[in-house]
Amino acid sequence: MDDVHLAEPELLDRLRGVLARPASRLVAVVLAYRPEELAEPGLPLGAPPPRTAPEFTALRHRLEPWDEDRVRRAAEEVLGDRATAGAVRRLHQVSGGVAQVVVDLLAVLRESSRQTITAAEVDAAGVPVRLAELILGRTAALPAPYRMVVGAAGVLDEPVRGDELLAVAGLSPVEGHLALLAALSGAALVARGEEGGQYAYGLPVPLAAGPVRESLPAPVREQLHARAAEVLVRRQPVPWAAVARHRRACGRVKGWLRAVERAATEATAAGRHPEAIALLERTLASAAVPPRARGRLAPMLSRSAVVGLRSDETVQVLTQIVQDEDLPAVVRGEVRLDLGLLLCNQVGLGVEGWGELERASDELREQRPDLSARAMSALAMPYWPISSLATHQEWMDGAEEAAADSGDVAVRAAVAAGRASLAMSYGDPGAVDLLKTLPVDSTDPRCLQHAARGLCNAADSSVWLGHYSRAVDLLAEGQELAARSGAPYTEHTALGARLQLEWATGRWAGLTERCEAFVEATADMPVISADARMVLGLLALARGEWGRALSWLSGEQASPPGAAPAPLSAAVAGALIRLELVRENPAAAAGIARKAWAGIADKGVWVWAAELAPWAVEAVARDGDAAAARAMAEEFAAGLDGLDAPAATASLSWSRAALAEAAGALTEAAGHYRRAAAAYGKMPRPYAAALTAEGAARCVLAALPDGEGEPSGTGGGRRRQGGAPSGAPDRALAELDGCVAGFTELGAVWDAARARAALREHQPAEERRRAPGRPSYGDRLSPRESEVAELAASGLTNREIASTLHLSHRTVEQHVARAMHKLGTVSRRDLAAASAADRAGEDGGGGGARGDGVRGDGALGGTGAGARTGTGTGTGTGTGAGPGDGPGVAGRGEH
């Protein structure tokens, strides 16, 4: 029986009789009730407690509020993957974990048209009608004199001590005691744990505060807010943000602004920048703030926003502030400086931010040379597609001169960080020495924040330059210093650089999930999230998920146009060029290449062409303009002269290899490819090393005469067409085999399939000698069918698979059809799991490299376990799961 607390006395008597004299067929009695609404606390059937037959065992189970994990699972059941982690946290907070409230809120959120549900959508969902009626009904059931204690709880909107609650309610100790007892008895209030020997009293559900406040007449509500401010200001420490809220609600404007200033100052000093930003945004958005107070509060907001992480409204608020002619020019210039930094560093509006920084530099030059130096130092940063490297260096010179004149240690620290960042960005060999000038041991938190910025910028540049071990050390030191000095923005830039570092050094396990979490956490900061978005696109490209790659690189999930820094934009362009090349669109690839190359040339930071140059040179050459491709390689080489940039130097060898290969100079190309592979291997950068090693093998094998693909096995000195010595195919095939292993270990499905296809085309003669005619694999996948199925499962179209494996479109169609028939799948999506299970059976679950062995007998389909058993390559045997109804069992084997 449900809702026993509402049962009439007659029904309760019947239940008593059932429990005392149960029928022979009665198995159990389950009674559900709200303990807070029982007429007699703890006695669901009233007093006296019922006599229970001896054969019964009485158990009591209390339904506790859901924890955050249970709320998350409920959200997933209703919203799928639309709810962010922040939305789940907020849902848990406002509902107090009460299941019915969670379910009611999810019902509202389910109707939202938004693809992503955030904490803001949870707040916008409002108060469920059922909750509002419940709390207002319980309040109305109290005697009129006692209802004020519930109103006070609604105004305070947090659990408080009993004496504070009664003081806000304006009740005497005796009357307040009776009111509190009545509210607890009627479940309008609840007691929560002991704090310092006293309970804290509040509403049953945090979200219920809104309906309670709204039910109060305006004059009464104002009076309660005024008393709440007086009560809270006596606490130690004073919760100034709460005091500010209550003072504003009761119309005390001056007291409100003083409390806001105190709260923001304390939050900033403690490193709680998001808290300060949110409070100052709400305050400055009000027209009730007079000009003088606006002049004090606006710089506080802008400084916190630059150091911390902005909210969506910060830029809008600051933009309105700098247009206020009533503000003193110096204040306006200070705010404009921070607005420019925000636009460049966090919002990704480099052109607009550049303009604000230039104006700020002029406005501050006379009265605040220290801040003018900060603006010039920011203008010296070359990451945005505005001005040349020479112009940035001129701004840096001006910043150093102004900083020296200012005498401000924090400004000097800012300029020192800027100088080191600039030098490191273009590969200046002296940049490492500049890092030693950063004030990492300062006792001034402002100096430490600038030092942390310089270190994290240097770490980011080290990743682009190819100094990966240096990047690891700089990231560790920079992140620690940023956390210690309270600079969350700098911390997040370091996190983005770390994701790039993991991509470059081949730490791909779990990288997709880490990048997706970072994108979600920094969704409203496109500059910070740009690193993760690019890495997600590059990972998808390596796996053959070309549609997903395009979405992350230039589609709906990519950073907005202009939001990515220049080196990242060049890297993204390189990936897009590669995508067009494999799709056999050289004209489109060359178009992207020429535009991206012009951007690098205008900027003059040639180390940033490292991820662009090989693909750009190849695209332009394949588009028929060999002279332009050669000029690009020469310009790249000249731009790197005298710089310390291992990645760009390796990229130059790769670019020369692509140029030679396009010209048919295959032996020369192979040499360049091998030099690039060796350089990448030393960094280490395994994916690039495998790509260039594959290029070397490809060129060597392509230089052989027809029918000469097998190794000689003699080790003699006979030379082949194209200058390849006898034995060169042995090395090339070994290189290809290593590439297959490297790509497979990384998870680069598409690259591994391409390298395996090339390896199979040039198998040794012993492998190719077999009985005439096509071998029969029965219901097993042939090696080629397995490759095609793997690529089809990754999302490639038949035409894209044909391009990868050098097959005809018709042949790919036939392989896909046969693979789907043999594996019993009805869609390409199902092919993913089925082909993976089939490969597991082929490999025997062993740790060796996958080869071309033929699996033994096995059965698929039916209603049994769906197991396929057979021999893998070499000596391995094993059992892999097929598409049957039961689980497969992994076997063991070795290559």
Side-chain angles (χ1 to χ4, degrees), residues 313-341:
E313 297 179 3
T314 306
V315 170
Q316 181 180 352
V317 172
L318 294 182
T319 301
Q320 293 172 348
I321 289 172
V322 297
Q323 295 171 354
D324 186 351
E325 296 298 331
D326 293 331
L327 277 181
V330 169
V331 174
R332 189 164 55 250
E334 182 178 356
V335 174
R336 195 186 301 280
L337 164 61
D338 292 329
L339 174 60
L341 294 173

PDB file of all heavy atoms in Angstrom, residues 313-341:
ATOM      1  N   GLU A 313      29.051  36.305 -20.442  1.00  0.00           N
ATOM      2  CA  GLU A 313      28.633  37.696 -20.483  1.00  0.00           C
ATOM      3  C   GLU A 313      29.773  38.687 -20.271  1.00  0.00           C
ATOM      4  O   GLU A 313      29.583  39.890 -20.441  1.00  0.00           O
ATOM      5  CB  GLU A 313      27.565  37.939 -19.404  1.00  0.00           C
ATOM      6  CG  GLU A 313      26.290  37.133 -19.611  1.00  0.00           C
ATOM      7  CD  GLU A 313      25.279  37.387 -18.516  1.00  0.00           C
ATOM      8  OE1 GLU A 313      25.554  38.232 -17.650  1.00  0.00           O
ATOM      9  OE2 GLU A 313      24.219  36.748 -18.526  1.00  0.00           O
ATOM     10  N   THR A 314      30.967  38.212 -19.928  1.00  0.00           N
ATOM     11  CA  THR A 314      32.044  39.128 -19.563  1.00  0.00           C
ATOM     12  C   THR A 314      32.385  40.087 -20.691  1.00  0.00           C
ATOM     13  O   THR A 314      32.501  41.301 -20.475  1.00  0.00           O
ATOM     14  CB  THR A 314      33.306  38.339 -19.175  1.00  0.00           C
ATOM     15  OG1 THR A 314      32.973  37.394 -18.170  1.00  0.00           O
ATOM     16  CG2 THR A 314      34.376  39.268 -18.654  1.00  0.00           C
ATOM     17  N   VAL A 315      32.581  39.562 -21.888  1.00  0.00           N
ATOM     18  CA  VAL A 315      32.972  40.407 -23.014  1.00  0.00           C
ATOM     19  C   VAL A 315      31.897  41.446 -23.302  1.00  0.00           C
ATOM     20  O   VAL A 315      32.192  42.625 -23.549  1.00  0.00           O
ATOM     21  CB  VAL A 315      33.250  39.542 -24.259  1.00  0.00           C
ATOM     22  CG1 VAL A 315      33.417  40.412 -25.501  1.00  0.00           C
ATOM     23  CG2 VAL A 315      34.494  38.707 -24.040  1.00  0.00           C
ATOM     24  N   GLN A 316      30.648  41.028 -23.256  1.00  0.00           N
ATOM     25  CA  GLN A 316      29.556  41.966 -23.514  1.00  0.00           C
ATOM     26  C   GLN A 316      29.538  43.094 -22.480  1.00  0.00           C
ATOM     27  O   GLN A 316      29.388  44.271 -22.820  1.00  0.00           O
ATOM     28  CB  GLN A 316      28.220  41.220 -23.505  1.00  0.00           C
ATOM     29  CG  GLN A 316      27.019  42.112 -23.785  1.00  0.00           C
ATOM     30  CD  GLN A 316      25.717  41.322 -23.760  1.00  0.00           C
ATOM     31  OE1 GLN A 316      25.736  40.091 -23.686  1.00  0.00           O
ATOM     32  NE2 GLN A 316      24.607  42.013 -23.826  1.00  0.00           N
ATOM     33  N   VAL A 317      29.724  42.746 -21.208  1.00  0.00           N
ATOM     34  CA  VAL A 317      29.721  43.758 -20.150  1.00  0.00           C
ATOM     35  C   VAL A 317      30.887  44.721 -20.328  1.00  0.00           C
ATOM     36  O   VAL A 317      30.732  45.952 -20.248  1.00  0.00           O
ATOM     37  CB  VAL A 317      29.776  43.088 -18.765  1.00  0.00           C
ATOM     38  CG1 VAL A 317      29.979  44.122 -17.674  1.00  0.00           C
ATOM     39  CG2 VAL A 317      28.495  42.295 -18.509  1.00  0.00           C
ATOM     40  N   LEU A 318      32.083  44.197 -20.584  1.00  0.00           N
ATOM     41  CA  LEU A 318      33.249  45.056 -20.740  1.00  0.00           C
ATOM     42  C   LEU A 318      33.141  45.938 -21.981  1.00  0.00           C
ATOM     43  O   LEU A 318      33.598  47.089 -21.984  1.00  0.00           O
ATOM     44  CB  LEU A 318      34.521  44.210 -20.800  1.00  0.00           C
ATOM     45  CG  LEU A 318      34.891  43.434 -19.534  1.00  0.00           C
ATOM     46  CD1 LEU A 318      36.196  42.680 -19.735  1.00  0.00           C
ATOM     47  CD2 LEU A 318      34.997  44.360 -18.332  1.00  0.00           C
ATOM     48  N   THR A 319      32.555  45.407 -23.048  1.00  0.00           N
ATOM     49  CA  THR A 319      32.371  46.204 -24.261  1.00  0.00           C
ATOM     50  C   THR A 319      31.469  47.405 -23.990  1.00  0.00           C
ATOM     51  O   THR A 319      31.716  48.525 -24.480  1.00  0.00           O
ATOM     52  CB  THR A 319      31.778  45.335 -25.387  1.00  0.00           C
ATOM     53  OG1 THR A 319      32.667  44.244 -25.653  1.00  0.00           O
ATOM     54  CG2 THR A 319      31.598  46.136 -26.659  1.00  0.00           C
ATOM     55  N   GLN A 320      30.436  47.184 -23.215  1.00  0.00           N
ATOM     56  CA  GLN A 320      29.556  48.298 -22.857  1.00  0.00           C
ATOM     57  C   GLN A 320      30.275  49.309 -21.962  1.00  0.00           C
ATOM     58  O   GLN A 320      30.089  50.522 -22.094  1.00  0.00           O
ATOM     59  CB  GLN A 320      28.308  47.767 -22.150  1.00  0.00           C
ATOM     60  CG  GLN A 320      27.403  46.937 -23.051  1.00  0.00           C
ATOM     61  CD  GLN A 320      26.274  46.271 -22.282  1.00  0.00           C
ATOM     62  OE1 GLN A 320      26.287  46.240 -21.048  1.00  0.00           O
ATOM     63  NE2 GLN A 320      25.308  45.726 -23.005  1.00  0.00           N
ATOM     64  N   ILE A 321      31.132  48.808 -21.095  1.00  0.00           N
ATOM     65  CA  ILE A 321      31.826  49.701 -20.161  1.00  0.00           C
ATOM     66  C   ILE A 321      32.781  50.637 -20.898  1.00  0.00           C
ATOM     67  O   ILE A 321      32.847  51.835 -20.609  1.00  0.00           O
ATOM     68  CB  ILE A 321      32.570  48.874 -19.095  1.00  0.00           C
ATOM     69  CG1 ILE A 321      31.558  48.237 -18.134  1.00  0.00           C
ATOM     70  CG2 ILE A 321      33.556  49.737 -18.313  1.00  0.00           C
ATOM     71  CD1 ILE A 321      32.165  47.251 -17.170  1.00  0.00           C
ATOM     72  N   VAL A 322      33.546  50.118 -21.868  1.00  0.00           N
ATOM     73  CA  VAL A 322      34.525  50.977 -22.550  1.00  0.00           C
ATOM     74  C   VAL A 322      33.839  52.010 -23.447  1.00  0.00           C
ATOM     75  O   VAL A 322      34.486  52.956 -23.913  1.00  0.00           O
ATOM     76  CB  VAL A 322      35.521  50.144 -23.386  1.00  0.00           C
ATOM     77  CG1 VAL A 322      36.341  49.227 -22.491  1.00  0.00           C
ATOM     78  CG2 VAL A 322      34.814  49.341 -24.462  1.00  0.00           C
ATOM     79  N   GLN A 323      32.559  51.845 -23.689  1.00  0.00           N
ATOM     80  CA  GLN A 323      31.815  52.842 -24.453  1.00  0.00           C
ATOM     81  C   GLN A 323      31.196  53.917 -23.570  1.00  0.00           C
ATOM     82  O   GLN A 323      30.585  54.858 -24.064  1.00  0.00           O
ATOM     83  CB  GLN A 323      30.705  52.148 -25.267  1.00  0.00           C
ATOM     84  CG  GLN A 323      31.243  51.201 -26.334  1.00  0.00           C
ATOM     85  CD  GLN A 323      30.161  50.354 -26.972  1.00  0.00           C
ATOM     86  OE1 GLN A 323      28.998  50.385 -26.546  1.00  0.00           O
ATOM     87  NE2 GLN A 323      30.523  49.604 -27.993  1.00  0.00           N
ATOM     88  N   ASP A 324      31.398  53.788 -22.263  1.00  0.00           N
ATOM     89  CA  ASP A 324      30.824  54.740 -21.308  1.00  0.00           C
ATOM     90  C   ASP A 324      31.713  55.984 -21.240  1.00  0.00           C
ATOM     91  O   ASP A 324      32.833  55.936 -20.720  1.00  0.00           O
ATOM     92  CB  ASP A 324      30.720  54.072 -19.928  1.00  0.00           C
ATOM     93  CG  ASP A 324      30.000  54.948 -18.917  1.00  0.00           C
ATOM     94  OD1 ASP A 324      29.733  56.124 -19.220  1.00  0.00           O
ATOM     95  OD2 ASP A 324      29.717  54.445 -17.810  1.00  0.00           O
ATOM     96  N   GLU A 325      31.231  57.090 -21.769  1.00  0.00           N
ATOM     97  CA  GLU A 325      32.015  58.323 -21.798  1.00  0.00           C
ATOM     98  C   GLU A 325      32.178  58.945 -20.419  1.00  0.00           C
ATOM     99  O   GLU A 325      33.019  59.833 -20.232  1.00  0.00           O
ATOM    100  CB  GLU A 325      31.351  59.332 -22.740  1.00  0.00           C
ATOM    101  CG  GLU A 325      31.319  58.884 -24.193  1.00  0.00           C
ATOM    102  CD  GLU A 325      32.706  58.699 -24.780  1.00  0.00           C
ATOM    103  OE1 GLU A 325      33.632  59.395 -24.319  1.00  0.00           O
ATOM    104  OE2 GLU A 325      32.871  57.846 -25.675  1.00  0.00           O
ATOM    105  N   ASP A 326      31.357  58.524 -19.447  1.00  0.00           N
ATOM    106  CA  ASP A 326      31.469  59.088 -18.103  1.00  0.00           C
ATOM    107  C   ASP A 326      32.655  58.505 -17.332  1.00  0.00           C
ATOM    108  O   ASP A 326      33.047  59.051 -16.297  1.00  0.00           O
ATOM    109  CB  ASP A 326      30.176  58.825 -17.309  1.00  0.00           C
ATOM    110  CG  ASP A 326      29.000  59.592 -17.888  1.00  0.00           C
ATOM    111  OD1 ASP A 326      29.232  60.673 -18.479  1.00  0.00           O
ATOM    112  OD2 ASP A 326      27.856  59.124 -17.747  1.00  0.00           O
ATOM    113  N   LEU A 327      33.212  57.385 -17.817  1.00  0.00           N
ATOM    114  CA  LEU A 327      34.351  56.792 -17.129  1.00  0.00           C
ATOM    115  C   LEU A 327      35.602  57.636 -17.367  1.00  0.00           C
ATOM    116  O   LEU A 327      35.817  58.149 -18.466  1.00  0.00           O
ATOM    117  CB  LEU A 327      34.614  55.380 -17.652  1.00  0.00           C
ATOM    118  CG  LEU A 327      33.795  54.228 -17.083  1.00  0.00           C
ATOM    119  CD1 LEU A 327      34.241  52.935 -17.730  1.00  0.00           C
ATOM    120  CD2 LEU A 327      33.938  54.133 -15.581  1.00  0.00           C
ATOM    121  N   PRO A 328      36.468  57.775 -16.376  1.00  0.00           N
ATOM    122  CA  PRO A 328      37.765  58.429 -16.593  1.00  0.00           C
ATOM    123  C   PRO A 328      38.553  57.696 -17.682  1.00  0.00           C
ATOM    124  O   PRO A 328      38.471  56.471 -17.807  1.00  0.00           O
ATOM    125  CB  PRO A 328      38.453  58.315 -15.232  1.00  0.00           C
ATOM    126  CG  PRO A 328      37.341  58.146 -14.254  1.00  0.00           C
ATOM    127  CD  PRO A 328      36.277  57.379 -14.964  1.00  0.00           C
ATOM    128  N   ALA A 329      39.315  58.427 -18.459  1.00  0.00           N
ATOM    129  CA  ALA A 329      40.045  57.844 -19.590  1.00  0.00           C
ATOM    130  C   ALA A 329      40.989  56.734 -19.140  1.00  0.00           C
ATOM    131  O   ALA A 329      41.140  55.717 -19.824  1.00  0.00           O
ATOM    132  CB  ALA A 329      40.819  58.935 -20.324  1.00  0.00           C
ATOM    133  N   VAL A 330      41.623  56.912 -17.995  1.00  0.00           N
ATOM    134  CA  VAL A 330      42.561  55.900 -17.520  1.00  0.00           C
ATOM    135  C   VAL A 330      41.839  54.603 -17.188  1.00  0.00           C
ATOM    136  O   VAL A 330      42.300  53.507 -17.520  1.00  0.00           O
ATOM    137  CB  VAL A 330      43.328  56.425 -16.284  1.00  0.00           C
ATOM    138  CG1 VAL A 330      44.106  55.302 -15.630  1.00  0.00           C
ATOM    139  CG2 VAL A 330      44.276  57.539 -16.684  1.00  0.00           C
ATOM    140  N   VAL A 331      40.674  54.718 -16.531  1.00  0.00           N
ATOM    141  CA  VAL A 331      39.899  53.525 -16.203  1.00  0.00           C
ATOM    142  C   VAL A 331      39.449  52.838 -17.484  1.00  0.00           C
ATOM    143  O   VAL A 331      39.520  51.603 -17.614  1.00  0.00           O
ATOM    144  CB  VAL A 331      38.691  53.892 -15.326  1.00  0.00           C
ATOM    145  CG1 VAL A 331      37.801  52.673 -15.110  1.00  0.00           C
ATOM    146  CG2 VAL A 331      39.152  54.445 -13.991  1.00  0.00           C
ATOM    147  N   ARG A 332      38.985  53.648 -18.439  1.00  0.00           N
ATOM    148  CA  ARG A 332      38.534  53.071 -19.702  1.00  0.00           C
ATOM    149  C   ARG A 332      39.691  52.360 -20.418  1.00  0.00           C
ATOM    150  O   ARG A 332      39.527  51.278 -20.986  1.00  0.00           O
ATOM    151  CB  ARG A 332      37.944  54.166 -20.590  1.00  0.00           C
ATOM    152  CG  ARG A 332      37.261  53.620 -21.840  1.00  0.00           C
ATOM    153  CD  ARG A 332      36.355  54.640 -22.517  1.00  0.00           C
ATOM    154  NE  ARG A 332      37.075  55.875 -22.837  1.00  0.00           N
ATOM    155  CZ  ARG A 332      36.872  57.039 -22.208  1.00  0.00           C
ATOM    156  NH1 ARG A 332      35.985  57.113 -21.233  1.00  0.00           N
ATOM    157  NH2 ARG A 332      37.549  58.114 -22.555  1.00  0.00           N
ATOM    158  N   GLY A 333      40.881  52.960 -20.378  1.00  0.00           N
ATOM    159  CA  GLY A 333      42.034  52.325 -21.010  1.00  0.00           C
ATOM    160  C   GLY A 333      42.416  51.030 -20.330  1.00  0.00           C
ATOM    161  O   GLY A 333      42.779  50.049 -20.989  1.00  0.00           O
ATOM    162  N   GLU A 334      42.339  51.005 -18.994  1.00  0.00           N
ATOM    163  CA  GLU A 334      42.665  49.782 -18.256  1.00  0.00           C
ATOM    164  C   GLU A 334      41.696  48.658 -18.601  1.00  0.00           C
ATOM    165  O   GLU A 334      42.098  47.515 -18.840  1.00  0.00           O
ATOM    166  CB  GLU A 334      42.643  50.060 -16.753  1.00  0.00           C
ATOM    167  CG  GLU A 334      43.021  48.865 -15.911  1.00  0.00           C
ATOM    168  CD  GLU A 334      43.036  49.179 -14.426  1.00  0.00           C
ATOM    169  OE1 GLU A 334      42.821  50.346 -14.052  1.00  0.00           O
ATOM    170  OE2 GLU A 334      43.257  48.239 -13.636  1.00  0.00           O
ATOM    171  N   VAL A 335      40.407  48.997 -18.645  1.00  0.00           N
ATOM    172  CA  VAL A 335      39.405  47.988 -18.994  1.00  0.00           C
ATOM    173  C   VAL A 335      39.578  47.561 -20.453  1.00  0.00           C
ATOM    174  O   VAL A 335      39.439  46.379 -20.783  1.00  0.00           O
ATOM    175  CB  VAL A 335      37.993  48.538 -18.740  1.00  0.00           C
ATOM    176  CG1 VAL A 335      36.936  47.553 -19.229  1.00  0.00           C
ATOM    177  CG2 VAL A 335      37.790  48.825 -17.261  1.00  0.00           C
ATOM    178  N   ARG A 336      39.908  48.515 -21.324  1.00  0.00           N
ATOM    179  CA  ARG A 336      40.089  48.182 -22.740  1.00  0.00           C
ATOM    180  C   ARG A 336      41.272  47.232 -22.933  1.00  0.00           C
ATOM    181  O   ARG A 336      41.238  46.342 -23.787  1.00  0.00           O
ATOM    182  CB  ARG A 336      40.309  49.460 -23.543  1.00  0.00           C
ATOM    183  CG  ARG A 336      40.143  49.238 -25.057  1.00  0.00           C
ATOM    184  CD  ARG A 336      40.518  50.477 -25.844  1.00  0.00           C
ATOM    185  NE  ARG A 336      39.738  51.640 -25.511  1.00  0.00           N
ATOM    186  CZ  ARG A 336      38.500  51.880 -25.975  1.00  0.00           C
ATOM    187  NH1 ARG A 336      37.920  50.987 -26.771  1.00  0.00           N
ATOM    188  NH2 ARG A 336      37.856  52.987 -25.650  1.00  0.00           N
ATOM    189  N   LEU A 337      42.329  47.434 -22.136  1.00  0.00           N
ATOM    190  CA  LEU A 337      43.479  46.524 -22.195  1.00  0.00           C
ATOM    191  C   LEU A 337      43.039  45.097 -21.896  1.00  0.00           C
ATOM    192  O   LEU A 337      43.359  44.155 -22.643  1.00  0.00           O
ATOM    193  CB  LEU A 337      44.540  46.984 -21.199  1.00  0.00           C
ATOM    194  CG  LEU A 337      45.641  45.975 -20.832  1.00  0.00           C
ATOM    195  CD1 LEU A 337      46.446  45.585 -22.058  1.00  0.00           C
ATOM    196  CD2 LEU A 337      46.549  46.547 -19.748  1.00  0.00           C
ATOM    197  N   ASP A 338      42.307  44.920 -20.819  1.00  0.00           N
ATOM    198  CA  ASP A 338      41.864  43.571 -20.454  1.00  0.00           C
ATOM    199  C   ASP A 338      40.855  43.015 -21.450  1.00  0.00           C
ATOM    200  O   ASP A 338      40.848  41.809 -21.732  1.00  0.00           O
ATOM    201  CB  ASP A 338      41.270  43.591 -19.043  1.00  0.00           C
ATOM    202  CG  ASP A 338      42.327  43.861 -17.981  1.00  0.00           C
ATOM    203  OD1 ASP A 338      43.490  43.473 -18.196  1.00  0.00           O
ATOM    204  OD2 ASP A 338      41.998  44.476 -16.953  1.00  0.00           O
ATOM    205  N   LEU A 339      40.005  43.887 -21.996  1.00  0.00           N
ATOM    206  CA  LEU A 339      39.065  43.440 -23.020  1.00  0.00           C
ATOM    207  C   LEU A 339      39.818  42.927 -24.248  1.00  0.00           C
ATOM    208  O   LEU A 339      39.469  41.878 -24.817  1.00  0.00           O
ATOM    209  CB  LEU A 339      38.128  44.583 -23.415  1.00  0.00           C
ATOM    210  CG  LEU A 339      37.175  44.314 -24.579  1.00  0.00           C
ATOM    211  CD1 LEU A 339      36.255  43.143 -24.279  1.00  0.00           C
ATOM    212  CD2 LEU A 339      36.366  45.569 -24.902  1.00  0.00           C
ATOM    213  N   GLY A 340      40.862  43.636 -24.638  1.00  0.00           N
ATOM    214  CA  GLY A 340      41.658  43.184 -25.774  1.00  0.00           C
ATOM    215  C   GLY A 340      42.302  41.840 -25.511  1.00  0.00           C
ATOM    216  O   GLY A 340      42.337  40.966 -26.389  1.00  0.00           O
ATOM    217  N   LEU A 341      42.827  41.655 -24.293  1.00  0.00           N
ATOM    218  CA  LEU A 341      43.425  40.366 -23.942  1.00  0.00           C
ATOM    219  C   LEU A 341      42.394  39.250 -23.982  1.00  0.00           C
ATOM    220  O   LEU A 341      42.670  38.135 -24.456  1.00  0.00           O
ATOM    221  CB  LEU A 341      44.060  40.456 -22.554  1.00  0.00           C
ATOM    222  CG  LEU A 341      45.273  41.385 -22.419  1.00  0.00           C
ATOM    223  CD1 LEU A 341      45.691  41.505 -20.967  1.00  0.00           C
ATOM    224  CD2 LEU A 341      46.438  40.873 -23.258  1.00  0.00           C
TER     225      LEU A 341
END
